[in-house]
Amino acid sequence: MSTQLGQLRSELTRLRNTRQMIRGISGLSLLLQAALLISGGGFLADWALDMSTAQRCILLTLMIAVLVWLVRKFVKPWFGKADDLIELALNVEHQHGLDNDLVSALQFEQPEASRWGSAQLESAVITKTARLTPQLQVFEGLSIHDFKRRMIILAVVVALPTLASGLFPGYFHAYLNRILMGSSQYPTATQIADVLINGQSVVYEHKQAT
């Protein structure tokens, strides 16, 4: 009797694994988005204020603190415990407009079910469910619309800093050095307009290195 629902359990397990994978990827995408956005905010603050080493140390501490808070608040819930097969069976029943046959069959399959009542009824429910299983689409109702939307947002959030670092590598490397408490300076567009020696203007010619 216990082997009759093997296909149902296998399909529900596949559904559970898929849902868990989607949640895991969603959680990791939120973590990456948070890290990139916080890093971007840190860059703007450091670039605009030309922070000292001590100020950058405080900035880095705040960035880490904000990231930890966001992880606990928004990322951690995505990595909860796996779905229970009974709960998934309830969802499948709801999607297909079924009675409680799936849940009942799974419960009747448990060893302690022999003490609950009629063995003939239990056998009949399990057999009926086993015959119904090949017709079930257990993935029906599994919406991935929100998942796709999150992936699009992630792609945009990753593309923007990637593009910026490619267009302005000097700023990227300077920020990476500075946030690690280095002494790099951001590139400037300073041009020498005049050179004075003892108060006298002299001709300055910029010779391009060959």
Side-chain angles (χ1 to χ4, degrees):
M1 184 180 299
S2 62
T3 61
Q4 294 187 58
L5 299 182
Q7 183 179 357
L8 175 61
R9 288 187 174 275
S10 176
E11 290 296 305
L12 291 177
T13 300
R14 284 203 310 124
L15 177 60
R16 177 174 61 186
N17 293 341
T18 301
R19 286 165 58 92
Q20 194 167 358
M21 180 186 67
I22 291 176
R23 287 198 299 265
I25 295 175
S26 298
L28 291 175
S29 71
L30 286 177
L31 174 61
L32 182 56
Q33 291 175 50
L36 290 174
L37 291 175
I38 291 172
S39 296
F43 163 74
L44 292 176
D46 183 44
W47 174 72
L49 302 177
D50 191 19
M51 292 182 168
S52 65
T53 301
Q55 290 173 326
R56 279 179 274 135
C57 184
I58 295 174
L59 174 64
L60 180 59
T61 302
L62 290 175
M63 290 167 59
I64 294 174
V66 172
L67 181 60
V68 170
W69 180 81
L70 289 175
V71 167
R72 290 180 175 178
K73 182 72 174 179
F74 299 104
V75 177
K76 187 178 178 180
W78 288 97
F79 296 93
K81 66 178 182 179
D83 295 313
D84 182 74
L85 291 186
I86 297 297
E87 294 177 354
L88 292 178
L90 284 171
N91 291 335
V92 173
E93 287 177 347
H94 177 73
Q95 292 297 327
H96 289 79
L98 302 174
D99 292 329
N100 295 327
D101 287 348
L102 300 186
V103 174
S104 298
L106 291 173
Q107 291 176 334
F108 286 154
E109 193 184 43
Q110 299 173 7
E112 60 270 22
S114 58
R115 304 192 301 268
W116 293 350
S118 172
Q120 290 79 7
L121 175 61
E122 295 171 6
S123 177
V125 171
I126 291 176
T127 300
K128 176 184 176 182
T129 302
R131 292 174 178 173
L132 178 65
T133 298
Q135 307 171 29
L136 296 177
Q137 299 294 328
V138 298
F139 284 86
E140 183 177 335
L142 179 63
S143 175
I144 60 173
H145 175 74
D146 291 340
F147 177 72
K148 290 181 178 179
R149 178 177 56 82
R150 284 190 289 268
M151 292 301 100
I152 293 174
I153 294 175
L154 175 63
V156 173
V157 171
V158 171
L160 289 177
T162 301
L163 179 62
S165 64
L167 294 175
F168 307 101
Y171 287 90
F172 174 77
H173 291 105
Y175 173 61
L176 184 60
N177 177 270
R178 288 172 62 82
I179 205 62
L180 296 176
M181 305 307 136
S183 58
S184 294
Q185 297 295 320
Y186 292 110
T188 61
T190 303
Q191 296 182 352
I192 299 177
D194 197 6
V195 177
L196 297 177
I197 299 180
N198 296 327
Q200 299 294 322
S201 178
V202 297
V203 176
Y204 172 77
E205 294 182 356
H206 175 71
K207 294 183 179 181
Q208 185 175 3
T210 59

